[in-house]
């Protein structure tokens, strides 16, 4: 089982010194990866579209600052040596696809091949409207963008003629060091699973339970086999919020989202073992507190107690 961590890229913890301290400690401790989410804007009046709470409300205030994803990953890349860096997930339709492909390729070159391109189609309609992107077409646009990434990253003479973008007679360099640069597809729908099989190297649902993943794995395996892909070649990753209640004096959970994992060290070990038994290969945790000291204490507990017990 591999373990990744969500960077403190939003809220009170989102500062340069905190980011460096968090990232370097995770690198020292041997975590597999660090991740950063993606929001450009949040609606003042709130929302009822968030997929991971019962009433669709977003678990943080609209005034909370979200640092931009690729800026954060580039910043962290410069102060780490080994740990992989991923987007969880970048919302594909928000940015020009050729520029996105260039940004990920550049970051992969600068990090010596440590980048994971985690992608999603998005859910917040007002954010799409504000960015001038058609919300109803986010799925087809995302599929086309992933096709473009593949062409730009791998072909010596890239050419593409799609519904939204066309190009030919141009060169795209540098190519990523990783060939292929891994694409992890977020989302918890069957459409996200099919997108994983068509374009991805991992299925990376968020805010779900292990049982939810277990329920959908037969469909993933069936669809992969029908598409001529070996199901075992697809990494299964689950991202959830985590708070370990017996780690530090600061046991306040500042905010929650769907299926957050809150419990003792023993509870976390049992949950991770359950995930391993189901067939989940990677767990990514982000933290439900803005206290950076509490975050690092939980990180250290994961290394000292949880990871050895799971991977014994």
């Amino acid at each position: 089982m591999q373990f990744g961590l969500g960077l403190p890229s939003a809220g009170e913890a989102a500062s340069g010194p905190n980011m460096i301290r968090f990232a370097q400690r995770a690198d020292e401790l041997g975590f597999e990866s660090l991740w950063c989410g993606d929001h450009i804007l949040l609606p003042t009046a709130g929302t009822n579209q968030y997929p991971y709470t019962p009433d669709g409300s977003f678990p943080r205030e609209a005034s909370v600052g979200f640092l931009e994803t690729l800026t954060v990953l580039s910043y962290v890349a410069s102060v780490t040596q080994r740990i992989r860096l991923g987007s969880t997930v970048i919302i594909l339709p928000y940015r020009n696809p050729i520029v996105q492909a260039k940004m990920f390729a550049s970051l992969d070159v600068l990090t010596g091949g440590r980048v994971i391109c985690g992608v999603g189609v998005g859910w917040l309609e007002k954010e799409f409207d504000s960015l001038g992107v058609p919300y109803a077409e986010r799925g087809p646009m995302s599929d086309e963008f992933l096709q473009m990434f593949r062409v730009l990253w791998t072909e010596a003479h890239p050419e593409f003629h799609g519904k939204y973008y066309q190009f030919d007679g141009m060169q795209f360099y540098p190519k990523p060091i990783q060939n292929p640069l891994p694409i992890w597809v977020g989302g918890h729908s069957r459409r996200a699973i099919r997108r994983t099989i068509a374009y991805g190297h991992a299925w990376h649902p968020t805010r779900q339970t292990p049982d939810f993943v277990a329920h959908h794995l037969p469909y993933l395996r069936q669809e992969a086999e029908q598409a001529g892909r070996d199901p075992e070649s697809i990494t299964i990753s689950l991202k959830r919020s985590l708070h370990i209640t017996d780690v530090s004096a600061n046991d306040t959970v500042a905010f929650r989202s769907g299926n957050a994992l809150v419990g003792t060290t023993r509870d976390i070990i049992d949950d991770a073992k359950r995930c391993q038994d189901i067939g989940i290969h990677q767990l990514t945790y982000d933290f439900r507190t803005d206290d950076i000291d509490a975050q690092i204490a939980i990180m250290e507990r994961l290394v000292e107690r949880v990871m050895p017990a799971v991977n014994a």
Side-chain angles (χ1 to χ4, degrees):
M1 178 73 75
Q2 298 287 339
F3 290 84
L5 299 171
L7 286 159
S9 59
E12 295 176 8
S15 71
N18 281 346
M19 199 80 68
I20 291 172
R21 183 181 168 202
F22 185 101
Q24 290 184 332
R25 188 63 179 138
D27 203 15
E28 292 167 359
L29 289 170
F31 282 92
E32 178 250 357
S33 51
L34 290 169
W35 299 83
C36 183
D38 190 21
H39 275 293
I40 309 296
L41 304 157
L42 290 174
T44 304
T47 181
N48 61 4
Q49 289 186 297
Y50 187 60
Y52 311 117
T53 54
D55 61 358
S57 62
F58 194 62
R60 309 207 72 168
E61 297 295 328
S63 59
V64 167
F66 278 80
L67 298 175
E68 195 278 326
T69 306
L70 285 159
T71 306
V72 168
L73 295 179
S74 298
Y75 184 77
V76 166
S78 68
V79 298
T80 55
Q81 300 297 320
R82 176 204 55 81
I83 200 163
R84 300 172 79 194
L85 305 168
S87 48
T88 179
V89 289
I90 204 158
I91 307 304
L92 285 167
Y94 286 176
R95 299 166 179 83
N96 177 285
I98 300 174
V99 175
Q100 280 188 83
K102 186 72 164 185
M103 294 167 82
F104 275 107
S106 298
L107 188 55
D108 200 55
V109 169
L110 291 171
T111 61
R114 291 193 280 141
V115 171
I116 301 170
C117 177
V119 300
V121 303
W123 55 269
L124 183 53
E125 186 169 1
K126 190 168 181 62
E127 195 170 18
F128 278 81
D129 293 344
S130 300
L131 293 168
V133 180
Y135 180 77
E137 297 185 53
R138 66 194 189 282
M141 289 181 75
S142 295
D143 290 340
E144 183 168 300
F145 288 13
L146 290 171
Q147 295 169 36
M148 292 171 64
F149 286 3
R150 182 182 293 169
V151 168
L152 291 165
W153 288 340
T154 63
E155 296 186 8
H157 301 283
E159 181 175 342
F160 187 83
H161 301 279
K163 177 180 178 182
Y164 305 100
Y165 285 87
Q166 304 83 34
F167 57 83
D168 59 31
M170 304 290 287
Q171 295 292 295
F172 182 92
Y173 288 100
K175 306 293 187 189
I177 287 178
Q178 298 178 90
N179 185 11
L181 193 155
I183 293 173
W184 288 29
V185 178
H188 57 281
S189 67
R190 287 192 166 196
R191 182 67 192 88
I193 290 173
R194 295 194 298 272
R195 184 172 289 113
T196 301
I197 292 163
Y199 307 110
H201 302 88
W203 180 41
H204 180 60
T206 186
R207 316 300 180 211
Q208 305 299 328
T209 65
D211 287 342
F212 177 92
V213 175
H215 177 74
H216 284 78
L217 285 182
Y219 178 77
L220 183 148
R221 295 183 182 114
Q222 171 190 306
E223 291 294 308
E225 289 170 356
Q226 289 181 358
R229 283 198 67 178
D230 178 3
E232 298 304 316
S233 71
I234 299 172
T235 297
I236 308 300
S237 165
L238 176 61
K239 175 188 170 186
R240 279 191 294 171
S241 301
L242 172 71
H243 194 79
I244 306 179
T245 57
D246 58 340
V247 166
S248 67
N250 183 355
D251 61 358
T252 301
V253 179
F255 50 92
R256 294 179 184 263
S257 57
N259 300 305
L261 181 58
V262 180
T264 65
T265 301
R266 182 71 252 174
D267 294 332
I268 309 310
I269 292 170
D270 291 343
D271 182 87
K273 286 184 174 181
R274 165 73 174 145
C275 291
Q276 191 174 53
D277 291 343
I278 285 168
I280 295 170
H281 307 108
Q282 195 265 9
L283 293 171
T284 293
Y285 297 127
D286 56 12
F287 301 114
R288 300 295 81 182
T289 174
D290 282 331
D291 184 328
I292 194 71
D293 291 325
Q295 292 185 14
I296 289 176
I298 292 170
M299 181 195 307
E300 292 170 344
R301 177 60 60 88
L302 287 170
V303 170
E304 293 164 2
R305 298 271 299 277
V306 177
M307 291 160 62
V310 174
N311 290 324

